[in-house]
Amino acid sequence: AKDNDKYVSSNVEFLDGNTWTSFGQKYKYFQTEVNKKNVLAVSFLFDFQRFNSLTRVTPIEKEVEKDWFKKELLGNFDDDNVDVLIVFGHLIIQHGQNQELLMLHDILRKHFKNTVIQYFGGHTHVRDFVSIDNKATAIQSGRFCETLGFVSLNFDEAEPSFFRKYLDFTRQSFDYHLNNINAKTI
């Protein structure tokens, strides 16, 4: 039996015999343990055309027209039961190159008018952070594990606030930050 519940892949499929099968769930919905925030997560790959004959990537603009997205995702989730919408995957976030992300954001924002949306992107291999609107940002953390990017969200204010931090992916950087975290928690 396949164990697809550990992965989220909204627009990538592989050929399993004669059947196209998602690499994971189309989305995941869960509640955080400590703060009890309801999180909805989706994951998209940009319009990648260099796949092999056993895989396929549906462009985001076509994927959002499918029943799972329109009826299941948008039909079951809204501002009342989602505190944070996480969109992660291999999407370009840089200004001027992020047309797919902005098209997806327009669709999501029309439905999730007040929900915080956090995008985690990739592909251009640069550190970048983009504020899309007052409740949505996007981060990209560099390339090949050279950088670790963090985003924190503060829900205690009338408007959510976002904070980002990049760590160099070195032992010295991790030791420094771990020692500072441990010193603050003791």
Side-chain angles (χ1 to χ4, degrees), residues 9-66:
S9 179
S10 302
N11 69 331
V12 181
E13 298 170 304
F14 66 95
L15 192 58
D16 185 12
N18 293 324
T19 306
W20 286 104
T21 305
S22 179
F23 270 101
Q25 299 175 85
K26 293 287 190 180
Y27 62 90
K28 184 150 182 104
Y29 182 68
F30 60 95
Q31 187 176 72
T32 62
E33 285 185 36
V34 175
N35 294 319
K36 305 299 182 201
K37 297 293 184 188
N38 295 318
V39 179
L40 178 62
V42 292
S43 176
F44 289 97
L45 176 64
F46 72 101
D47 189 8
F48 186 72
Q49 298 299 315
R50 294 177 298 192
F51 46 85
N52 66 42
S53 63
L54 299 178
T55 61
R56 72 178 175 193
V57 177
T58 303
I60 296 171
E61 66 186 61
K62 292 181 181 173
E63 194 67 38
V64 297
E65 293 299 320
K66 292 183 178 180

Side-chain angles (χ1 to χ4, degrees), residues 112-126:
F112 296 98
K113 294 177 179 16
N114 294 305
T115 300
V116 171
I117 303 174
Q118 179 59 55
Y119 296 89
F120 293 92
H123 186 60
T124 57
H125 302 291
V126 296

Side-chain angles (χ1 to χ4, degrees), residues 58-97:
T58 303
I60 296 171
E61 66 186 61
K62 292 181 181 173
E63 194 67 38
V64 297
E65 293 299 320
K66 292 183 178 180
D67 280 348
W68 79 265
F69 188 88
K70 287 180 144 185
K71 293 180 181 174
E72 191 174 331
L73 189 115
L74 298 182
N76 292 324
F77 302 102
D78 56 30
D79 288 333
D80 292 332
N81 60 3
V82 177
D83 299 307
V84 181
L85 176 56
I86 302 291
V87 181
F88 64 98
H90 210 71
L91 285 174
I92 298 170
I93 71 161
Q94 287 179 286
H95 285 294
Q97 299 178 39

